[in-house]
Structure formats: structure tokens, C-alpha cells
């Protein structure tokens, strides 16, 4: 029992150090950009440079952990929008606006997360859309690959805009992306035989 307790404490300490380094790396990326180096990460973590990778298999392992951390941050930020009431258009526009707000506030982390292919949780978005479909009288789940494709489209559009902010305003970009997402989802719902009235006001929590 004593050995098990010691092992559990060591594992907990290792997990805590990993978490602290991941959070430090995220701060370094926010401050210095997606190419933040080992020195910037070590400074943020308050550890010597050789210690940064001690709890990871290497740079790729740390990068993936940071991308997952950023994805969790974004998921938590957009979660309130996943239960909003309204028409399909208003709900989607509200969600995209919230994603854009996070991207504007965390441009480097958004780029980093998108580059490593760690989207906001697709499963959670599928669950949210299924709840809206139930509210519309359809007991079905949308294909996850369609939702993953929509997320990829939004990520690509926002990352491009972050690098070309003079091309259009955030409001215009958000409206365009939301309209495109709505078109994709409407086509998907038609294909699976569960179209939703665009004028319907849906409340997934009811």
C-alpha cells in the first residue's frame, strides 16, 4: 500500500509539472508567436531549459499537448453558445462570433491549435447539434465527419484572416463564415432526411 501511495504521488507530481509546462508554453506562444523557442518556454515555466522536455517524449509531444490545451480553452469559451436559443441562423452566427472573439484575443494560440489539427471538440459539437435536432423533433445525430469538415473550414478562414486582417472586418468575416456553415448544415440535414425549418426558434435545453 505504501509503495502504491508513493507511486501515485510521484505520478501526480509528474502530471502537475507537465500541466505547468504546457500552460507556460501556451503563455510563451501567446507572447512570442507560434515559433516560441525553448528559452521562452523555460522562462515562463521558471525551469532550466533541459527540464522542459523532461516530462515529454520530445518537442512534438509538448506541441501536441499545448494544442490540446488550447483546444480545451476554446471549447470552454464557446460552450455557452452551444445551448443558446434561437433560429438556426442566429445560433450559428452567435457561435461563429464567439469563436472569432477568442481568435482575436488569442491569435497565436488559435494559429498554433489550428496548425496542429486540434479542433474544438468535434464530439461536443455533434452532441450540441443533436440537441438542437431533438428540439426540432428529429432524434438523430449528424455525421461527425461533416462537423469536422465545418470546423476545418472555419479554422482555415479565421487563420487566413488573422494573417490578412486588412482584407475585411471581423464582422464581415464572421457573417460570411456563419452563412457558409449554415449552408453546409442545411445540405447535410437534407441528405440525412431531417431538414429543419430555417425560421424555427429552437431551444435545446427545453
Amino acid at each position: 500500500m505504501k509503495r502504491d501511495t508513493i507511486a501515485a504521488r510521484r505520478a501526480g507530481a509528474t502530471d502537475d509539472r507537465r500541466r505547468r509546462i504546457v500552460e507556460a508554453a501556451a503563455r510563451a506562444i501567446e507572447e512570442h508567436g507560434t515559433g516560441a523557442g525553448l528559452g521562452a518556454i523555460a522562462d515562463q515555466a521558471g525551469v532550466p531549459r533541459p527540464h522542459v522536455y523532461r516530462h515529454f517524449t520530445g518537442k512534438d509531444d509538448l506541441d501536441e499537448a499545448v494544442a490540446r490545451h488550447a483546444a480545451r480553452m476554446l471549447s470552454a469559451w464557446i460552450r455557452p453558445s452551444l445551448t443558446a436559443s434561437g433560429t438556426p441562423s442566429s445560433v450559428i452566427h452567435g457561435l461563429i462570433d464567439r469563436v472569432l472573439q477568442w481568435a482575436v484575443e488569442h491569435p497565436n494560440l488559435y494559429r498554433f491549435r489550428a496548425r496542429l489539427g486540434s479542433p474544438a471538440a468535434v464530439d461536443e459539437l455533434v452532441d450540441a447539434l443533436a440537441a438542437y435536432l431533438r428540439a426540432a423533433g428529429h432524434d438523430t445525430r449528424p455525421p461527425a465527419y461533416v462537423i469536422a469538415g465545418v470546423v476545418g473550414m472555419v479554422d482555415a478562414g479565421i487563420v487566413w484572416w488573422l494573417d490578412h486582417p486588412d482584407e475585411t472586418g471581423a464582422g464581415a468575416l464572421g457573417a460570411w463564415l456563419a452563412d457558409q456553415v449554415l449552408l453546409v448544415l442545411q445540405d447535410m440535414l437534407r441528405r440525412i432526411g431531417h431538414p429543419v425549418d430555417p425560421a424555427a426558434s429552437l431551444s435545446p435545453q427545453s
Side-chain angles (χ1 to χ4, degrees), residues 18 22 56-72 112 116 118:
R18 277 180 59 96
V22 167
F56 301 87
T57 59
K59 182 179 185 301
D60 289 346
D61 187 26
L62 174 58
D63 285 351
E64 289 172 5
V66 175
R68 290 193 298 271
H69 173 67
R72 288 192 296 270
F112 189 84
L116 267 70
S118 293

Side-chain angles (χ1 to χ4, degrees), residues 156-176:
I158 292 178
V159 168
W160 187 91
W161 175 75
L162 289 172
D163 294 334
H164 305 83
D166 294 335
E167 291 290 330
T168 189
L173 172 69
W176 185 88

Side-chain angles (χ1 to χ4, degrees), residues 6 61 89 95 147 180:
I6 293 173
D61 187 26
S89 178
L95 174 59
I147 305 306
Q180 297 305 307

Side-chain angles (χ1 to χ4, degrees), residues 12-191:
T14 297
D15 289 345
D16 184 63
R17 283 191 287 269
R18 277 180 59 96
R19 178 184 58 79
R20 290 176 181 275
I21 291 172
V22 167
E23 292 174 350
R27 292 193 299 271
I29 289 168
E30 292 222 71
E31 182 175 348
H32 300 287
T34 57
L38 183 62
I41 296 172
D43 289 345
Q44 286 285 347
V47 299
R49 292 189 184 191
H51 288 199
V52 170
Y53 293 138
R54 181 169 292 180
H55 303 289
F56 301 87
T57 59
K59 182 179 185 301
D60 289 346
D61 187 26
L62 174 58
D63 285 351
E64 289 172 5
V66 175
R68 290 193 298 271
H69 173 67
R72 288 192 296 270
M73 290 174 63
L74 176 55
S75 292
W77 174 255
I78 68 174
R79 196 161 290 138
S81 296
L82 301 181
T83 54
S85 299
T87 64
S89 178
S90 68
V91 170
I92 291 172
H93 277 75
L95 174 59
I96 296 299
D97 285 347
R98 196 159 175 86
V99 172
L100 258 175
Q101 184 180 353
W102 196 88
V104 168
E105 293 177 0
H106 307 277
N108 291 328
L109 266 186
Y110 194 97
R111 289 187 183 95
F112 189 84
R113 177 201 57 79
R115 189 186 74 193
L116 267 70
S118 293
V122 170
D123 288 344
E124 187 172 6
L125 295 171
V126 170
D127 289 342
L129 183 51
Y132 281 104
L133 290 173
R134 284 194 299 272
H138 304 302
D139 188 11
T140 188
R141 289 176 64 79
Y145 55 81
V146 174
I147 305 306
V150 167
V151 170
M153 177 182 71
V154 171
D155 274 347
I158 292 178
V159 168
W160 187 91
W161 175 75
L162 289 172
D163 294 334
H164 305 83
D166 294 335
E167 291 290 330
T168 189
L173 172 69
W176 185 88
L177 287 174
D179 286 345
Q180 297 305 307
V181 170
L182 185 60
L183 287 173
V184 172
L185 295 182
Q186 286 174 333
D187 179 67
M188 179 268 292
L189 294 173
R190 179 185 59 80
R191 288 172 180 264

Side-chain angles (χ1 to χ4, degrees), residues 1-9:
M1 181 65 71
K2 186 175 181 180
R3 289 181 178 177
D4 290 344
T5 301
I6 293 173
R9 287 177 178 173

